[in-house]
Amino acid sequence: MLKKGDLYYPTKEFQKRAIISDPKIYQKALKDPIKFWEKLAKELFWFEKWKKAFEHQPPYFKWFLGGKINITTNIFEENKLGWKKIKNKPAIIWEPEPTGESSKILTYEELFKQVCKFANTLKSLGVKKGDTVGIYLPMIPEAIISMLACARIGAVHTVVFSAFSSQALKIRLQITEAKILITADGYYRRGKIINLKESADEAIKDTKVEKVIVVKRAGNQIPFDESRDFWYHQLIEKESDFCEAEKMDSEDLFFVLFTSGTTGVPKGCMHVCGGYTVQVYWTGKWIFDMHENDILWCTSDLGWITGHSYTCYSPLLNGITTLIFEGAPDWPTPDRWAQIIEKHKVTIFYTAPTAIRMFVKYGEEVIKNYKFETLRLLGSVGEPIDESTWLWYFKNVGKERCPIVDTWWQTETGGILITSLPGIGPFKPAHAGLPFPGIKIDILDEKGNSCKVGEKGNLVILPPFSPGMLRGTYKNPEKYKETYWSQYGDKIYFTSDGAFKDENGLIRIVGRVDDVIKVAGHRICTGELEAAVNLHEEITESAVVGVPDEIKGEVPMVFVVYKGKKRGEEVKNEVINLIRKQIGPIALPKEVYLVEDLPKTRSGKIMRRILKRLFTGEELGDLSTLANPESVENIKKVIGK
Ligand code: PRX
């Protein structure tokens, strides 16, 4: 049986069938990464071939300059498997949350027609190439249809996670100046109907949204403003089921996806049409070893980059079936996820460590009758997966037969950049593995020197980067320079992750070195939480730190200095409500502590590190340099340590 520190290689059988099984691919690609990507790009369908493969004007770079492409043409008419072959194959399997409701299947042909109808609808409503469209939908097929319809006509989509609050949606709509929002009446979550339209209505106040398209999903009562709101099903009825694809320039903006920013203002990562398509097609094909009959279940919501790239675009480009699920993996019973895998004969399962830790907690008993015979490959993403969780996943879900691809990447990178390839290996618990062929990665110390084996440093990406990486932060070029290109100069992309290499060159990600915390795989800036908390009138100061949590990986702990007259419990509840309102339930703190003072340096900087260490058990370090060392003793009393 596999143990911590062991290496696992794919079985002969897996290797034999794998799309990539020869390790020589790494040397070949690294000899000339630009040529390598060009060769891959050539296999896709371009209306016009690019004139130049790569251009670097630090900190900006471009790929496939002058090329003309549309991702939907590559998904449908020009799919590499051939339209005839995929036409009647399920493109999407949709599993609703209520167990009494039937699942739905959309074949490629049905999906194509729906996409075209909706693309024509958007055009009829005045949407043009380059316009931004907001998408605030639950996990229903219309979410994918909406994304593809935008892509078809060259509109820029901004998908916002449906569990985000109306405030979080509002700020994204304000930044992008979207005139159209696509939403739904409601959806099911843990047996309850969530009224999404109400949040959408609240969000569009003080934005440029003029029209709201509403998908009827849960049939709940909603406010409906006839002058502005339209039912999706009524709009598409009248439209033709064919829509010509817009010929997009490689470097035209494809979508903007926001990720949390320090001050409460999210950063819009800009992804472009050409490079993104090339990267998600190939990374998906090789990393998930996508074969014609595969059924992939990537559990990520479409509102995250993982949902964009590996729930929607990559499987469809590869002509395989993607499964989407409306609900929570442990609802109504803890084995719901296992039932879904067996019911729909899932072959590739891609999820986050937080979900796996939850399965572990429910116990092996819950899944002892599941054989998972159809599964052949497992994936993990979003946060470091510790050894014992990896081993549990390998044994109980993969039945010691399925390779696990631990995939490292970010909203910014658009696609996976580090992971062992399943047909090559090796896989080592808690290690992501090697950089994807053609990707140049290094781990640097503070001075910019490469770290030795086992030495922890900062993970960076070197030129020519990757075709799918972000091209900027929307309407905020300063942020782009400052966040990614200032640590080691403007030619080295700084990931904000700490990492080290083992003796085989396999990379292990340690975690963020900035103020980002990963709460159940969701990326949240502590500064963003502090900005929300500081809106409270009676709170003079706050500090938020991430502390380890058994299931969620990390959870926020909030410390507030409050000078008001209200009772403590009341303030705590108000803080929680502020976070819920400004960000959403995913960011809720584990605890809110009311304290008299926060530990600070003499120059007034809050020492969050000390607050964190109160929970991790690490040495607090020298407190004598603090301006107010007594604050630490007081805080210890408040938190009961
Ligand atoms: O810290 C890394 C962590 O997630 C961050 C990116 O978060 P986000 O933009 O939300 O994208 C998540 C899904 C791609 C990274 O900077 N992360 C992502 N994958 C891994 C990971 N940490 C460790 N191991 C991974 N496989």
Side-chain angles (χ1 to χ4, degrees):
M1 210 172 70
L2 206 62
K3 303 180 303 301
K4 198 172 149 171
D6 282 354
L7 297 180
Y8 170 80
Y9 288 89
T11 58
K12 282 257 151 20
E13 196 191 340
F14 190 101
Q15 210 171 8
K16 233 166 110 190
R17 190 172 173 263
I19 294 170
I20 295 292
S21 54
D22 184 354
K24 283 200 203 90
I25 186 86
Y26 290 106
Q27 289 90 38
K28 268 197 230 159
L30 276 187
K31 243 193 228 157
D32 190 341
I34 299 173
K35 268 218 181 101
F36 166 78
W37 282 113
E38 261 199 296
K39 195 161 166 241
L40 295 184
K42 271 183 202 152
E43 298 213 17
L44 285 161
F45 172 81
W46 298 77
F47 299 106
E48 272 175 50
K49 210 196 143 201
W50 56 93
K51 300 193 171 57
K52 191 175 174 190
F54 180 70
E55 189 181 276
H56 194 188
Q57 289 179 332
Y60 294 97
F61 57 91
K62 293 177 175 171
W63 280 88
F64 313 120
L65 291 83
K68 301 268 187 249
I69 193 166
N70 189 301
I71 197 164
T72 64
T73 315
N74 278 284
I75 290 174
F76 298 113
E77 303 102 303
E78 299 290 338
N79 190 291
K80 287 281 289 174
L81 292 184
W83 181 239
K84 263 211 194 117
K85 220 176 203 168
I86 63 167
K87 207 172 122 182
N88 298 316
K89 176 206 276 199
I92 300 176
I93 299 176
W94 176 62
E95 174 74 13
E97 183 183 272
T99 42
E101 196 176 328
S102 322
S103 37
K104 219 193 251 171
I105 288 177
L106 277 178
T107 64
Y108 271 87
E109 186 170 39
E110 285 160 345
L111 178 64
F112 187 33
K113 287 186 173 166
Q114 296 287 324
V115 167
C116 286
K117 272 175 168 282
F118 195 46
N120 286 327
T121 303
L122 291 174
K123 278 187 169 176
S124 302
L125 292 178
V127 180
K128 293 190 194 62
K129 178 179 174 179
D131 287 351
T132 318
V133 173
I135 300 178
Y136 185 54
L137 283 172
M139 289 294 275
I140 53 177
E142 287 80 358
I144 292 185
I145 296 170
S146 301
M147 291 164 76
L148 297 177
C150 288
R152 189 77 181 166
I153 63 171
V156 177
H157 60 64
T158 288
V159 185
V160 180
F161 179 42
S162 55
F164 265 137
S165 70
S166 48
Q167 280 300 320
L169 172 61
K170 185 193 294 289
I171 189 160
R172 286 157 176 80
L173 294 172
Q174 283 170 338
I175 298 174
T176 55
E177 300 186 62
K179 292 203 191 80
I180 297 228
L181 178 67
I182 307 163
T183 188
D185 51 356
Y187 63 98
Y188 290 90
R189 192 72 184 174
R190 297 191 179 274
K192 283 202 213 101
I193 292 180
I194 310 285
N195 193 323
L196 195 64
K197 176 65 165 48
E198 248 171 34
S199 307
D201 282 352
E202 184 55 37
I204 62 171
K205 289 179 195 156
D206 307 315
T207 69
K208 300 224 160 114
V209 173
E210 291 161 2
K211 295 180 179 116
V212 179
I213 303 173
V214 189
V215 178
K216 195 175 220 141
R217 156 63 190 127
N220 49 312
Q221 281 284 326
I222 54 161
F224 204 86
D225 174 348
E226 299 284 344
S227 68
R228 180 199 70 194
D229 299 344
F230 302 84
W231 283 110
Y232 174 93
H233 59 275
Q234 289 177 355
L235 288 175
I236 59 167
E237 224 172 56
K238 307 179 265 219
E239 300 290 345
S240 141
D241 61 11
F242 181 74
C243 171
E244 200 74 55
E246 191 71 41
K247 296 185 173 72
M248 303 301 289
D249 193 274
S250 271
E251 288 289 318
D252 275 341
L253 187 56
F254 178 19
F255 64 83
V256 178
L257 183 59
F258 285 87
T259 182
S260 75
T262 326
T263 53
V265 182
K267 287 193 291 263
C269 292
M270 295 160 71
H271 288 284
V272 297
C273 296
Y276 178 83
T277 304
V278 173
Q279 192 175 329
V280 296
Y281 172 71
W282 285 102
T283 51
K285 183 182 240 19
W286 288 2
I287 295 165
F288 298 107
D289 192 43
M290 291 181 185
H291 284 76
E292 204 170 310
N293 293 323
D294 273 319
I295 299 173
L296 166 76
W297 183 17
C298 165
T299 63
S300 170
D301 191 279
L302 290 158
W304 308 111
I305 191 69
T306 310
H308 280 55
S309 302
Y310 301 104
T311 304
C312 177
Y313 291 114
S314 186
L316 296 179
L317 280 166
N318 278 285
I320 68 163
T321 304
T322 184
L323 185 144
I324 59 172
F325 173 44
E326 182 184 35
D330 59 340
W331 178 270
T333 50
D335 61 342
R336 181 71 192 274
W337 61 277
Q339 286 173 14
I340 295 174
I341 292 176
E342 296 220 327
K343 174 177 173 191
H344 296 293
K345 304 189 167 49
V346 170
T347 60
I348 308 166
F349 183 54
Y350 187 33
T351 194
T354 185
I356 307 165
R357 289 192 297 263
M358 184 175 77
F359 307 157
V360 175
K361 191 141 189 224
Y362 281 125
E364 281 159 36
E365 195 52 29
V366 166
I367 53 163
K368 75 169 195 298
N369 294 327
Y370 292 92
K371 296 205 171 61
F372 298 128
E373 272 164 352
T374 56
L375 283 180
R376 51 179 210 88
L377 182 63
L378 303 177
S380 170
V381 62
E383 47 172 327
I385 176 166
D386 60 275
E387 274 120 339
S388 66
T389 306
W390 195 105
L391 290 165
W392 189 94
Y393 193 32
F394 184 70
K395 174 167 172 255
N396 295 289
V397 185
K399 308 288 182 194
E400 299 182 358
R401 173 191 80 231
C402 305
I404 299 180
V405 287
D406 175 1
T407 62
W408 176 89
W409 57 301
Q410 309 176 304
T411 306
E412 289 86 345
T413 67
I416 299 164
L417 294 189
I418 306 177
T419 186
S420 301
L421 290 174
I424 300 176
F427 311 95
K428 184 177 178 182
H431 291 67
L434 297 175
F436 190 79
I439 302 297
K440 289 189 176 170
I441 295 264
D442 205 352
I443 297 170
L444 304 180
D445 66 16
E446 294 302 324
K447 291 196 185 110
N449 301 314
S450 295
C451 291
K452 295 190 202 79
V453 169
E455 192 187 339
K456 198 188 136 201
N458 294 321
L459 185 75
V460 299
I461 308 170
L462 305 174
F465 316 109
S466 84
M469 261 168 68
L470 85 166
R471 298 298 195 267
T473 45
Y474 197 68
K475 290 190 188 158
N476 198 346
E478 283 313 311
K479 193 97 214 159
Y480 174 71
K481 284 181 202 153
E482 173 199 315
T483 315
Y484 312 109
W485 310 98
S486 62
Q487 197 82 4
Y488 296 110
D490 62 3
K491 294 189 193 72
I492 296 182
Y493 174 91
F494 176 61
T495 64
S496 297
D497 271 311
F500 63 85
K501 273 184 199 168
D502 79 350
E503 59 286 358
N504 306 298
L506 304 178
I507 295 170
R508 176 166 184 164
I509 308 292
V510 184
R512 300 285 300 198
V513 295
D514 59 359
D515 63 352
V516 165
I517 56 175
K518 281 301 200 100
V519 185
H522 303 320
R523 177 168 162 180
I524 296 164
C525 257
T526 55
E528 186 186 16
L529 279 161
E530 288 169 10
V533 173
N534 293 344
L535 292 172
H536 193 291
E537 280 177 355
E538 285 162 292
I539 286 172
T540 49
E541 236 173 3
S542 69
V544 176
V545 293
V547 303
D549 180 86
E550 206 189 333
I551 303 286
K552 293 186 171 176
E554 275 183 299
V555 281
M557 286 288 185
V558 177
F559 293 85
V560 298
V561 179
Y562 130 87
K563 298 269 156 71
K565 297 177 193 67
K566 278 185 195 159
R567 280 176 33 249
E569 279 312 307
E570 223 174 295
V571 176
K572 284 187 187 179
N573 285 335
E574 285 163 3
V575 166
I576 291 172
N577 283 336
L578 268 170
I579 295 174
R580 192 194 301 275
K581 185 153 180 260
Q582 293 298 316
I583 307 170
I586 55 164
L588 290 184
K590 181 146 186 178
E591 194 58 72
V592 178
Y593 294 111
L594 306 184
V595 297
E596 282 173 20
D597 207 359
L598 293 165
K600 283 188 193 143
T601 60
R602 296 213 169 93
S603 58
K605 193 169 162 261
I606 298 174
M607 293 298 285
R608 291 175 180 78
R609 199 171 51 219
I610 292 178
L611 295 174
K612 185 171 179 142
R613 286 181 182 167
L614 289 171
F615 294 91
T616 57
E618 286 167 272
E619 286 290 322
L620 293 185
D622 182 10
L623 300 183
S624 65
T625 54
L626 292 178
N628 55 350
E630 70 290 349
S631 64
V632 180
E633 280 312 309
N634 289 336
I635 292 174
K636 274 190 189 164
K637 278 188 211 135
V638 175
I639 65 176
K641 298 236 162 158

